[in-house]
Every structure is written in structure tokens, then in C-alpha cells.
Amino acid sequence: MALPIESSAFKDIVVVLGAAGLVIPAFAALRISPVVGFILFGIVAGPSGLGAFVSEHPTLSYFTISNTGALAAPAEMGVALLLFALGLELSAERLRTMRRLVFGLGSAQLAACALGIAMLLLPFALGVRPTLVLAIALSLSSTAVGLQMLSASGRMGSQAGRTAFGILLLQDIAIAPVLLLFSAGSAEGGFLPALAVGLLAIAAIVIAGRLLVPPLFLQAARTRRPELFLAAALVVLIGSAGVATAAGLSPAVGALVAGTMLAETEYRRQIEAAIAPFQGLLLGVFLIWVGMQLDLAAVAADPLLILGGVAAICLIKSGLLYLLLQYFGRGRGVAAHIALLLAAPSETSLILLAAATAGGLLPTGVAATALLVTGLSLAIAPLLGLVGQRLESRFGPERNTDHGPEAQVPGRTIIIGYGRVGRLVATMLEAHDQPYLAVDSDPDEVIRLRLAGKPIVYGDARRPELLDSLGLETARAVVLTIDAAQSLDTLVRLIRDRHPGLCVVARARDAEHAKRLYAKGVTDAVPETVESSLQLAEAVLVDLGVPMGLVIASIHEKRAELRGRIQGERSAPVRVALSRRRRRE
């Protein structure tokens, strides 16, 4: 049956979608995480904001959300997708590479901050369980805000970026056991039986995933249809969440385990690309829902408790983290930057608080206060991050004293298309000890090559979400070897829009195609017809007895002449723009 356009449900959908359409681009332009924007919108559109004045001004009803309960289901889906995406980041390879940061500094940060917050809560006499729940939940830091700000400022590859990522990765790992303990701690049958059932459910998800998931995704990938790939990802996600729920666990545990299970497969990056739009939208619904739960009247009634709690939590976390970073050999600027960037609690803190409240581990009043403190802390997290950036710049360049393998992160070359041309490029990179990552859309070939030990992933690189997951901000070059001219043009445009200074080398069909690619901004275009002609000329000249040195010199000279001619035929504005970009580089 059609939904009446005048119904409150229809109006609420329009308000939420309108918020997503406005918040994401507006806050992206301000280089602020949309997390903050969604929470603020939820406060404004909720019952404590404009909703409180609807009876006096009925027009305001068009800008508020009438039924907060209707957002509960999509909000839960947003939480599941967030934890599913976090699980995709927890690959064994990544943990092995960053083990010193993750399990050393990350574990120390989580333990120290939880202990510091627990000491802060002792005078309130909340009891052992509520104190532990709050200490663990509030000691987490926002992955969404932290990584977004590091990426926007180009610091992901810096010492500050690597260190913050390692800390956040440990926190992501900790979410599953914490959720499992929260679920078991609130079970009616007792802690140990509930824990045993939960572990059996997780084992069942992992075993079923090992047996059923690879063929499912292989068939979806063979169809080359993105919607079927997304459907397969959602089947795994919802099925895992359902198994966890049936075992008495939070569905978020199943989602996180499913993501972790898929992190080891060749489909990881394509799955990330497939769920990214839905994850952002549904996570936005969750954050709007959280914002609507924040009671501004409670803040006004007891500002000392709420605002004092925000200040105390951020001060304790930033102070302890600064001292730990100094102990682990980070410079003052890097330590101050990371300490402030990770001072606020996380969006996953909200998930843990909600799970603990639903399980009866937190009294309702205490949970409401904790949600207020977490939401307001998240709102100021970008400001703290900006202050941290300024402090790092003021204290001078970073001091690299990390001698672990994670400190040596050379820029990779990304090869898009791993056919005969891509393989040859990869072989030459290997011969010169240059790291690379290959991307190809043939799932069977990707499986075979991964078994052979090649660094290759499955994916359709024309999708912006997949490009964003390849780490192009830290790559040294991109080599485009795919056949389809239209897809190649699209890729060049997408890469140039996001990374104007990156070296891009592309395979072209002929001189005309190379000219078009140069106009779109590639660093070098290699036309197949020209190169095959030059190789034929080289072979015949050598066979005719011309000395090899003279032949090679003349071939290089002719190649440079043809390249100059192709580049010279570009329009003047394009030449000027590229010249300016190269001067900046």
C-alpha cells in the first residue's frame, strides 16, 4: 500500500534524508566529520530542540522528527554496518605489520584511560559493574572523527597518523570481547553459561563463513553486478547478526565477527566499496537518533555535572595519552596532536552504552547522563583535533623514533588491471624491490594469484569508494593498464579529482587516446600502437646490423619526440594547468 504523502512517517523520512543530503557536503566542505553534524541535527530536530516548540508553532513540525521510535530499526542497522566495516579493517596482515603500535601502545592507552576514568567515577558510588561499563565505554576514541581529520589534513602517512591508527585499531579489536562480556553479564542464566553459548555462536559464524562465504562471493563477483555483491555482503551481515541474537548476544557482535572473517578474503575492498554509501547513511540515522536522545533540559538543569563530565573525561584521556606517547618515544608535537585528537569518547561508546543499558548493566539515569557526556564530547572532538594539529605544527616536525616495521611504510605503486600488461609491470617492480598492490575484476584470477602469494585484491576500481580504500594518499604512483578506453578515462578523472599531485601512468590505445588522457591530467600515457611500432623498428634495425647502442639511442629520441608531439597538441589551458601542478610538486 502506498505511503500517504501527508503521513508523519513520510515526513520523517524526508527530514532524515534531507539532513543527510545537507549535513554530509556541508561538513565535508568545513573539513569537519559528519558525525558531529548528524548529532547536532538530531538535537535540533528532536524533542529537546525544535520539537519542544511545535505546539506553539505548528510550522516547525515540517523540520522535526515526530516518531523517534521509527528510527530505531535503521539506527540498529547503521550500528551493525559500522561494526561490520570495522571488522573488515582487522586483517591479520595489518595487525602483524602494526603489532607494536596496536598491542603495545594501543593496549596501554585503553587500560590507562579506563583506569583513570574509573578513578574519576569512584566518588559517585555507582557500583562495580556500572563503573566498569562506563570506564571501558568512555575510554574509547572516535575512529570516524580521528581518521577523517587525519585524512583531510594529509597526515595519514605521518608518524601521528600511523600512531593514531594503531591505537584506534586496538580499540576496534576490543569491541567484540567487550560486547560479548556485556551480553553475558546481563544474561539471566548466569555469566559463564551465557559466555559459553556466545563463544559457540561466534565459532559457528566463523565455521559457516569459512565454508559458505567464499563460494557465495565468488558467484556474486562472476556476475560483475554490484547490486548482487552488495546483496551477498548483506546476507552475511544479517545472517551473522541473527545467529548472535539467537545466542543472546548483541547483533553488533555478529556483525563485527562477520567483518573480521571477510577481512582475510580477496573481496574485502570491494565489500567496503559496496557497503560504504549505505553505511554512511544508516550510521547518520543512528547518530541522528542519538542526538534526539540528548536532553538539553538535563544539561540546563545540571550544567556542572554534564559539562564538567565532558571536561574531566577529555582532560583525563588526553593527559594520560600524552604521557604514554612521550614514554613510547613520540615528540611533543605528535604526542599533543594525538592526545587531543583521541580525547573525546567514540560513536562506538554510544553503542556500548546502549548495549549495557538494554542488558540492565547501567541504570537509566546514569546511562542518560553518559550519553549526554559522550554526545557533547563528540561534538567538540573536531575542535580538539584542530588544536592538536596547531600544537604539532608549533612544536616542530615529528621525531621518528619508531624502529618497528610499521614505521617503514614506503609508498606503494597501485596497479589497476592485472592482465598481461599489469603482470609485466608488477614483474619489473618486483625486480627493483618496489612494493605494489594490484587490483583486478576477475575473481577467479584474483583467487589463483593470491594463493600464489601475489599482493592483489578483487574490485572494480571505477567505484569511488574502492579507490578511496586503496590508500592513494600514501601511494607513490598509479599504473592504469585496463583495456576499456571509457573506463580508463573515468578512472583518470576520479583519481585526479581526489589526488591532483599523484603520479598516474596510463596505457593508451593510440596517439589520439594518449592525447585525451594527457588532457585529463595523466603524468604519462603510453600508446600501444606507438610502442609496438618502436619495438618493431628496434628489432629490424638490430637485425640489419646497426649497432645496438645507436638503435637504443635513436628509439629513445623518437619516443621523446612523439611524446612531445602528443603533449604539444593539448590545449593551452590544459598545458598551463599541468605546468602549475608540476611546479607545485
Side-chain angles (χ1 to χ4, degrees), residues 142-190:
S142 175
T143 300
V145 173
L147 295 188
Q148 190 273 340
M149 293 197 68
L150 289 167
S151 179
S153 61
R155 286 178 163 87
M156 277 301 298
S158 68
Q159 190 185 51
R162 294 192 304 272
T163 304
F165 184 75
I167 293 171
L168 292 169
L169 204 55
L170 185 280
Q171 294 183 7
D172 295 342
I173 295 171
I175 292 171
V178 169
L179 278 171
L180 179 61
L181 291 174
F182 282 8
S183 300
S186 61
E188 294 181 0

Side-chain angles (χ1 to χ4, degrees), residues 17-162:
L17 293 178
L22 293 174
V23 165
I24 294 176
F27 277 71
L30 296 172
R31 295 190 174 183
I32 299 175
S33 172
V35 168
V36 180
F38 283 123
I39 292 177
L40 292 178
F41 180 83
I43 294 173
V44 172
S48 297
L50 296 178
F53 306 98
V54 167
S55 58
E56 301 172 13
H57 306 281
T59 308
L60 293 177
S61 64
Y62 293 105
F63 306 99
T64 59
I65 299 172
S66 308
N67 185 3
T68 58
L71 295 184
E76 287 183 9
M77 190 64 181
V79 171
L81 277 173
L82 172 64
L83 293 175
F84 183 66
L86 291 178
L88 290 171
E89 297 293 330
L90 303 180
S91 66
E93 178 186 358
R94 174 168 285 180
L95 295 178
R96 185 169 54 251
T97 302
M98 303 186 69
R99 59 187 179 277
R100 189 161 170 260
L101 277 177
V102 174
F103 299 108
L105 179 56
S107 299
Q109 178 272 336
L110 191 61
C113 290
L115 181 59
I117 294 172
M119 296 295 290
L120 172 70
L121 296 173
L122 283 180
F124 293 93
L126 299 175
V128 175
R129 287 201 303 182
T131 298
L132 289 177
V133 167
L134 290 175
I136 294 171
L138 297 176
S139 62
L140 301 178
S141 303
S142 175
T143 300
V145 173
L147 295 188
Q148 190 273 340
M149 293 197 68
L150 289 167
S151 179
S153 61
R155 286 178 163 87
M156 277 301 298
S158 68
Q159 190 185 51
R162 294 192 304 272

